[in-house]
């Protein structure tokens, strides 16, 4: 009976929390790192061009390692499972690299930044990619996968709030003391991450569930290209990622120059992420009623309805923008949880076709799309602002940006994301994998695969 099977596949809430926990301290390597790291190393005497070049090359290295780690984790075997060993193995690399980057010694040069950045991103991939794949394999149930994805992503957002709020709580002004703000995050990672990983690997099973087939490297691209639902999902996810990346990249500039309220940047950002967490239960409930892909589409449409008003705002419209942050933040909950849960379903298409459970490989390309979306957003936004004559240092230098520059900034921040999200909605509205289709895939998988015992 479907209801009985779903109940048996449902993770206990404590195990669910334990699974998501590593994402909480790891969040310190996200937004705070992007905000403070370049400034800290520039203050050590490195040029902004050198810092930017090193960080760009490190991110390119990060993208290149995704398919390697994903495939290797798919092929890992042992009594400990195939995902949990990677989380443990990441710690001896990730924790020292994070400590050295977050608390650089006086005189740290370009080689120091480059070496530890490469180590950090490799360790991060070793942790984050198998963690995502592990979650996709914890349950074969269509709706349970949404709960598992929610546990990981909510922990990530809570970690972001903690990492951005900790310096403020300690009385550190990140704008004037970026090195101090960055340094306080090091203990959070050094202590919190090993504890979180230990709790996760001890409390949560590593359900390989079935034998996975090794795929030669030359066939990996053809395998992914043959999965039509995956192609549609990854394109929609990339397009929506650009839509989210544009306001993320331009948020500080929009609040500082269009709204002329730089002191409100922190509170507005906090409200946005907090609403992202608060919105998750509602989107999970809607997804259970109408399906994950349709709920995601409605979230994107609601986000468009809220964000379309942003280009009309001007100096002093902080209250109106707060309302936009609250509404779009509530929609963020769907963006965080539902695409990853749908990704777990498209892996079933490949498995049902006899390809084996290559969850790590699929999530590797998912990670690459995430990074590409942010790169495209940054790569498009700043050159367009430059062409419009926008100057980020205008206020500090005692000048003002002209109407054209501010209009371009407002359109890139508020109008362009709406257009990208509408494209993503068009791609996902008739997505072929709903609960019934995914149940059929599971039946086919049972017929062609030999079960393995659960790694407990």
């Amino acid at each position: 009976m479907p209801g009985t099977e779903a109940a048996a596949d449902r993770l206990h809430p404590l195990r669910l929390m334990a699974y998501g926990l590593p994402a909480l301290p790891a969040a310190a390597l996200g937004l705070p790192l992007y905000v403070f790291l370049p400034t800290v190393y520039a203050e050590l005497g490195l040029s902004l061009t050198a810092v930017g070049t090193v960080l760009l090359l490190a991110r390119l290295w990060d993208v290149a390692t995704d398919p390697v780690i994903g495939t290797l984790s798919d092929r890992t075997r042992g009594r400990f499972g195939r995902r949990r060993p990677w989380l443990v193995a990441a710690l001896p690399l990730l924790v020292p690299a994070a400590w050295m980057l977050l608390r650089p010694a006086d005189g740290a040069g370009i080689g120091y930044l480059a070496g530890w950045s490469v180590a950090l991103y490799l360790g991060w991939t070793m942790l984050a990619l198998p963690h995502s794949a592990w979650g996709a394999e914890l349950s074969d149930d269509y709706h349970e996968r949404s709960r598992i994805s929610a546990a990981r992503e909510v922990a990530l957002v809570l970690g972001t709030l903690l990492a951005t709020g900790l310096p403020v709580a300690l009385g550190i002004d990140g704008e004037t003391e970026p090195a101090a703000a960055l340094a306080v995050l090091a203990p959070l990672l050094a202590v919190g991450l090993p504890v979180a990983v230990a709790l996760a690997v001890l409390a949560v099973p590593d359900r390989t569930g079935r034998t996975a087939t090794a795929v030669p490297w030359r066939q990996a691209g053809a395998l992914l290209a043959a999965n039509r639902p995956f192609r549609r999902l990854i394109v929609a996810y990339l397009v929506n990622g650009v839509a989210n990346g544009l306001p993320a990249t331009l948020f500080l500039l929009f609040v500082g120059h269009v709204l002329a309220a730089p002191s409100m940047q922190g509170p507005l950002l906090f409200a946005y992420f907090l609403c992202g967490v608060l919105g998750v239960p509602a989107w999970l409930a809607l997804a259970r009623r109408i399906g994950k892909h349709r709920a995601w589409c409605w979230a994107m449409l609601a986000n468009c309805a809220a964000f379309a008003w942003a280009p009309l705002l001007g100096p002093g419209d902080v209250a109106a923008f707060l309302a936009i942050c609250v509404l779009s933040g509530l929609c963020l909950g769907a963006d965080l949880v539902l695409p990853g849960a749908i990704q777990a379903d498209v892996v079933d298409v490949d498995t049902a076709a006899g390809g084996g459970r290559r969850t790590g490989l699929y999530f590797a390309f998912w990670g690459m799309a995430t990074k590409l979306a942010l790169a495209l957003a940054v790569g498009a936004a700043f050159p367009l602002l430059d062409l419009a004559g926008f100057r980020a240092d205008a206020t500090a230098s005692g000048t003002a940006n002209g109407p054209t520059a501010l209009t371009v900034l407002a359109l890139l921040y508020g109008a362009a994301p709406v257009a990208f999200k509408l494209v993503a909605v068009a791609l996902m509205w008739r997505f072929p994998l709903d609960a019934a289709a995914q149940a059929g895939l599971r039946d086919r998988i049972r017929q062609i695969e030999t079960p393995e015992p659960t790694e407990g």
Side-chain angles (χ1 to χ4, degrees):
M1 295 177 60
T4 303
E5 181 182 354
D9 217 18
R10 188 176 177 87
L11 263 70
H12 189 280
L14 291 179
R15 277 191 165 178
L16 201 62
M17 291 173 59
Y19 163 72
L21 197 57
L24 195 154
L29 299 174
L31 182 65
L33 205 65
Y34 298 136
V35 171
F36 298 127
L37 192 70
T39 303
V40 168
Y41 279 84
E43 289 181 350
L44 289 174
L46 303 180
S47 71
L48 284 175
T49 300
V51 172
T53 300
V54 165
L55 295 180
L56 174 61
L57 293 175
R59 291 315 301 262
L60 292 175
W61 158 256
D62 185 27
V63 172
T65 59
D66 277 357
V68 178
I69 299 300
T71 302
L72 289 176
S73 70
D74 280 343
R75 298 179 181 182
T76 300
R77 285 292 178 270
R79 292 184 58 205
F80 201 48
R82 60 173 171 172
R83 309 299 179 191
R84 292 186 297 188
W86 284 89
L87 273 71
V88 174
L91 294 176
L93 180 63
L94 180 56
V95 171
W99 185 275
M100 299 300 286
L101 271 180
L102 296 175
R103 303 173 73 97
D106 291 338
I110 200 69
Y112 180 99
L113 174 62
W116 288 116
S117 294
V118 166
L120 176 81
Y121 283 123
L122 178 58
W124 196 352
T125 299
M126 290 171 61
L127 177 87
L129 202 159
H131 189 219
S132 298
W134 183 18
E137 293 168 341
L138 283 175
S139 174
D140 289 336
D141 182 71
Y142 178 82
H143 294 297
E144 181 64 6
R145 285 171 168 173
S146 297
R147 288 181 73 234
I148 294 168
S149 177
R152 182 182 63 246
E153 299 304 325
V154 166
L156 184 67
V157 175
L158 290 175
T160 300
L161 291 175
L162 175 62
T164 54
L166 184 59
V168 177
L170 295 175
I172 299 171
D173 183 352
E175 189 170 348
T176 59
E177 302 175 275
L182 205 60
V184 298
L185 300 181
L188 175 66
L189 275 159
V191 177
L193 192 57
V195 170
V197 168
L199 290 173
V201 301
L202 292 174
V204 185
D206 195 340
R207 293 179 179 171
T208 55
R210 302 292 188 273
T211 301
T213 304
V215 183
W217 293 100
R218 63 180 178 275
Q219 295 181 17
L223 169 70
L224 293 165
N227 190 333
R228 295 180 64 186
F230 175 74
R231 294 204 311 265
R232 183 185 292 195
L233 175 63
I234 203 72
V235 173
Y237 181 74
L238 176 63
V239 171
N240 185 62
V242 175
N244 292 336
L246 283 169
T249 301
L250 301 174
F251 178 85
L252 297 180
L253 296 179
F254 183 84
V255 175
H257 294 268
V258 175
L259 300 184
S263 63
M264 292 300 296
Q265 291 168 343
L268 289 168
L269 198 60
F270 187 89
Y272 173 73
F273 282 116
L274 179 61
C275 289
V277 173
L278 297 177
V280 167
W283 294 115
L284 289 178
L286 183 62
R288 185 169 286 275
R289 291 178 60 88
I290 66 175
K292 290 182 283 196
H293 70 281
R294 196 57 63 85
W296 186 30
C297 287
W298 280 115
M300 289 189 284
L301 289 171
N303 202 324
C304 290
F307 233 66
W309 298 96
L312 304 179
L313 302 182
D317 291 335
V318 175
F321 187 66
L322 175 61
I324 292 174
C325 288
V326 169
L327 294 174
S328 61
L330 291 171
C331 297
L332 172 67
D335 267 341
L336 291 172
V337 172
L338 298 180
I342 300 170
Q343 166 75 341
D345 297 334
V346 302
V347 179
D348 289 344
V349 175
D350 177 75
T351 307
R357 298 209 174 212
R358 289 181 278 266
T359 315
L361 179 62
Y362 273 82
F363 272 87
F365 280 87
W366 189 255
M368 293 172 72
T370 302
K371 296 160 189 173
L372 179 60
L374 183 59
L376 289 173
V378 174
F382 286 109
L384 289 173
L385 286 176
D386 196 36
L387 285 174
F390 180 84
R391 291 186 57 194
D393 63 346
T395 303
S397 62
T399 60
N401 284 297
T404 300
L406 293 177
T407 298
V408 170
L409 173 58
L411 291 176
L412 285 172
Y413 180 84
V418 170
F420 281 108
K421 281 189 177 287
L422 291 177
V423 173
V425 170
L427 287 167
M428 291 301 298
W429 190 259
R430 298 186 182 277
F431 190 71
L433 284 184
D434 55 12
Q438 195 266 342
L441 289 172
R442 282 159 50 196
D443 290 338
R444 289 167 56 190
I445 292 169
R446 291 190 191 96
Q447 295 171 10
I448 65 174
E449 290 189 333
T450 302
E452 287 180 350
T454 296
E455 301 288 350

